[in-house]
Amino acid sequence: MKRLCLSLLGTWFLLITPVIAQGAMSQGAPAVTLSADEKAFLEKHRTVNIAMMVEHPPFTIVGDGSGNGFEHEVLHLIARKTGLGFEKTFGAWGDSFRRFREGEVDVISSISYDENRTDFTLFTEPYYELPIFVFVRDDFGDYSGLEDLAGHKVGVIEEIFYANDLEAAGGMELRHYGTYQEMARALVLGEIDALVQNLTNINEIIKRRAYTNIRIAGELSLLDVGTEDLRFGITPDKPELRSIMQKGLDAITPAEWSTLTGRWLGMRGEGTHQARPAAIRLTDVERAYLDEAGHIDICIDPNWMPFERFDENGRHDGISADYFALFEDALGVDFRPLPVETWSESVEHLKAGDCELFSLAMRTPERETYAKFTDSYIQTPLVVATKSDVAFINDLSDLSGRAIAIPALYAFAELLREDYPDLDLVEVTDIDAGLAMVRSGEVFGYIGTLATIGYKLQTEYGGELRITGDSGKSWDMGVAVREDRPMLHGIMQKAVATITEEQRRDINNKWIAVRYDQRVDYTLLWQVSAVFALLILAGGLLYLKQAGLKRKLESAYEQAERLAVTDKLTGIFNRHRLDQALEEETRKAERYEETFGVLILDIDHFKPINDRFGHRAGDTVLREFVDVLRHNCRQTDILGRWGGEEFLIIAPHAEKATLLTLAEKLRTAIEATTFRDVERVTTSIGASVYQHGDNPDTLIKRADDALYEAKRQGRNTLAFR
């Protein structure tokens, strides 16, 4: 028996290892020895029909209609070793399963063993096994087992083998979906509260669709359900076909399995290396064009993570930056991003000829008047973000007459005005400005890509805003080259066309990957997955056994774990860690009948600082402001960035008097400090202490109300509630 198994190594990263059957250890491609009955079957049935899922990444990806993916290459190897041909048909799992059960096809792929299926199925041994997980949105809350799904809507695939077991577990409302894509989208947009599915499928969809608000809550725990084992199923009237296919599977060599897993499942065996950019075949004229240019000036969006931005050192960062690093290596040319503060500036620079292309842009009729577009290399849905208490929005027409923020000169602004003329669209400079207006109530919602909104909600707006609607549209983004640069457009089209699935996977693993709920000790995997992926790719199982690499892994993990709870700009705790600390202090206060205090500090008139001196100066002010707080806080105080120019201090064991003394000390220290770029900065402070029955939200609400009271009093003061 030969199969692939997915297992958990420790509790913090995933590793897939091949298990090879005896008798299949040679490195060649052994001819399969068939019995007389099997040969007779092949004489009559050179081709059999097989039902496969229409979209089952990375096992089946239909694409051009012919299909590719892990299972397709397995079938190709079986065909080469046995002489058996396959005629493929595609459909949703439920449809394919019904067709197979009713005898309309000879074989079905991706079927898992279930005793109830043995009457109409002959199973091969599994060629892939993996555990099943419960996936939830970030706002789901605690999950410790299936009992936490009681009263919730839970998505499953039609005819999945464990559906009856979930029904028997009781308490949840199961909703059945035809495809993984439909089910994942329903979870992202709030139509369901959780879904149950294997990691590989959902993680692939998360990366392909740039979903950023899904996490793993825990592994499925059902008495009679272990792993999802993928097999080929054959109709009972063709036992010879089953034995032929099993012999074909058994004949696949370790080297062939290694190639398959490296290409489709993100694993590499000993002696393999990370993929290098493929050479791009340029004409002599194209090569001369690049040689003469020397470098290419490009325009990017400076605040559009995880897609792209300028980091604090002014470097191009994000998904598009990694793709352009590939293009640089493959083309041998230097791409130089033009420094800008907003996307609108980038648009004007391209039109003026100051840069030659957009690194990432969507095709629109207006843009086609001045730019030519390559094929897309990134796709992501377009969604609506509102305050957390807003009900789900079924359609953009539901927003008619409401003020909706959109970034100025973004592609979807042009398209939405054409498709939804009744929308009251309010142009803003960037996503930060738009979400801030939603939070303050100036607009009802903000429309943007799911990846960028999800990124911001995780890092800056936890609990205040959420995704409540789906536009029904997606962004398909490629490189946009100035219309008068046809030679460069042809070169970039070739560069985009050479991107391999392996390269896409490596980049997506770095920026967009499924995350594990801390409560099941899969702590912050999404922020360290790139570290482990690179180490796994470079080393594999054998290297993990070496003590030197083990020390490097542990060191990298510890460093990444620190970074995962740290605000990158200021080096203090981020919102995620502060939320954890508030929960911890609240529990301690309840248990031991103690108290603690919180201070919310807001830098007065911070926006004019950015407007007058620039965002770089603003960043410097934030860092210097934090330095003052660090030097004046108590050792036991917990300091973090609450969002934007707001900071939170949690003061354990602090009564009202102690808290106000600390607040006044911080206020006067800030007022007395000479800041490098802007000289004088002041702060307003809101204070509150824990009261019996408080939860983190009620406590923060009082401190926030106090902060606004301090601002109404003229700023540079403090207030208590």
Side-chain angles (χ1 to χ4, degrees), residues 149-340:
L149 296 181
H152 291 284
K153 297 183 286 290
V154 179
V156 294
I157 290 295
E158 287 182 295
E159 302 288 356
I160 199 71
F161 70 97
Y162 47 78
N164 291 336
D165 296 278
L166 284 175
E167 289 276 11
M172 67 192 77
E173 177 189 342
L174 288 190
R175 296 201 174 180
H176 300 266
Y177 292 87
T179 67
Y180 305 112
Q181 289 79 358
E182 293 170 351
M183 184 168 63
R185 193 180 187 96
L187 177 60
V188 164
L189 298 172
E191 295 175 16
I192 56 177
D193 305 307
L195 67 84
V196 180
Q197 185 54 40
N198 71 64
L199 173 71
T200 306
N201 291 146
I202 300 303
N203 195 32
E204 190 75 13
I205 290 168
I206 286 171
K207 291 182 290 185
R208 286 178 177 272
R209 302 297 292 168
Y211 291 152
T212 54
N213 64 339
I214 297 179
R215 61 179 168 86
I216 289 177
E219 193 168 351
L220 180 66
S221 178
L222 283 170
L223 182 62
D224 297 322
V225 178
T227 61
E228 183 170 357
D229 52 321
L230 302 186
R231 309 166 184 250
F232 294 113
I234 298 92
T235 55
D237 61 336
K238 295 182 174 61
E240 297 86 1
L241 176 56
R242 188 271 174 197
S243 61
I244 292 170
M245 292 192 66
Q246 185 60 56
K247 286 182 177 180
L249 279 173
D250 291 341
I252 298 176
T253 68
E256 289 165 338
W257 280 120
S258 178
T259 299
L260 285 177
T261 56
R263 182 176 298 130
W264 296 107
L265 303 176
M267 301 172 299
R268 292 173 174 81
E270 183 181 9
T272 58
H273 304 280
Q274 186 174 2
R276 298 295 301 158
I280 299 175
R281 300 175 66 89
L282 299 179
T283 66
D284 292 341
V285 175
E286 290 170 334
R287 174 50 60 194
Y289 177 92
L290 293 180
D291 290 343
E292 182 178 350
H295 72 273
I296 305 295
D297 291 314
I298 69 174
C299 282
I300 73 165
D301 189 321
N303 183 23
W304 201 30
M305 288 298 282
F307 295 125
E308 57 185 13
R309 68 166 181 176
F310 286 116
D311 67 14
E312 59 271 17
N313 297 312
R315 292 189 294 263
H316 186 192
D317 192 24
I319 294 174
S320 72
D322 286 356
Y323 277 107
F324 267 76
L326 291 177
F327 300 157
E328 280 189 339
D329 287 347
L331 293 171
V333 67
D334 183 23
F335 292 102
R336 297 183 184 176
L338 198 67
V340 293

Side-chain angles (χ1 to χ4, degrees), residues 367-389:
R367 287 179 178 175
E368 286 183 315
T369 62
Y370 61 85
K372 297 182 69 175
F373 291 79
T374 68
D375 293 339
S376 66
Y377 63 93
I378 294 176
Q379 299 83 34
T380 185
L382 198 62
V383 297
V384 183
T386 66
K387 288 187 176 180
S388 296
D389 57 356

Side-chain angles (χ1 to χ4, degrees), residues 137 153 219 475 495 536 579:
R137 282 188 314 282
K153 297 183 286 290
E219 193 168 351
W475 269 22
I536 292 166
D579 285 337

Side-chain angles (χ1 to χ4, degrees), residues 387-546:
K387 288 187 176 180
S388 296
D389 57 356
V390 172
F392 184 76
I393 298 166
N394 295 304
D395 186 83
L396 289 186
S397 58
D398 294 344
L399 301 176
S400 179
R402 296 181 183 270
I404 305 298
I406 54 171
L409 300 182
Y410 270 28
F412 61 80
E414 177 184 340
L415 301 177
L416 290 177
R417 284 194 176 92
E418 182 177 335
D419 294 344
Y420 298 94
D422 293 335
L423 289 182
D424 179 13
L425 299 180
V426 179
E427 291 194 343
V428 294
T429 55
D430 57 22
I431 185 173
D432 287 331
L435 293 179
M437 291 178 72
V438 176
R439 179 166 62 179
S440 68
E442 296 175 68
V443 297
F444 177 78
Y446 173 86
I447 295 180
T449 66
L450 187 143
T452 52
I453 291 177
Y455 183 88
K456 287 292 182 180
L457 297 191
Q458 289 171 24
T459 55
E460 298 179 30
Y461 295 89
E464 298 178 89
L465 309 180
R466 70 183 181 98
I467 295 168
T468 51
D470 180 13
S471 72
K473 302 177 182 294
S474 66
W475 269 22
D476 297 330
M477 299 174 287
V479 179
V481 183
R482 279 178 53 88
E483 193 272 338
D484 58 355
R485 304 286 195 275
M487 183 73 67
L488 180 58
H489 174 263
I491 292 169
M492 295 311 301
Q493 176 58 43
K494 289 181 178 181
V496 169
T498 61
I499 299 171
T500 67
E501 285 295 323
E502 194 173 4
Q503 291 165 344
R504 290 181 196 275
R505 183 181 60 245
D506 288 345
I507 292 173
N508 285 338
N509 279 339
K510 176 179 177 182
W511 295 103
I512 305 170
V514 69
R515 293 171 293 108
Y516 288 77
D517 186 355
Q518 183 180 353
R519 280 170 290 276
V520 293
D521 201 26
Y522 300 121
T523 308
L524 302 168
L525 177 64
W526 67 284
Q527 292 182 325
V528 299
S529 58
V531 176
F532 296 123
L534 290 173
L535 290 170
I536 292 166
L537 296 178
L541 281 174
L542 293 178
Y543 291 99
L544 287 175
K545 296 178 181 178
Q546 298 178 11

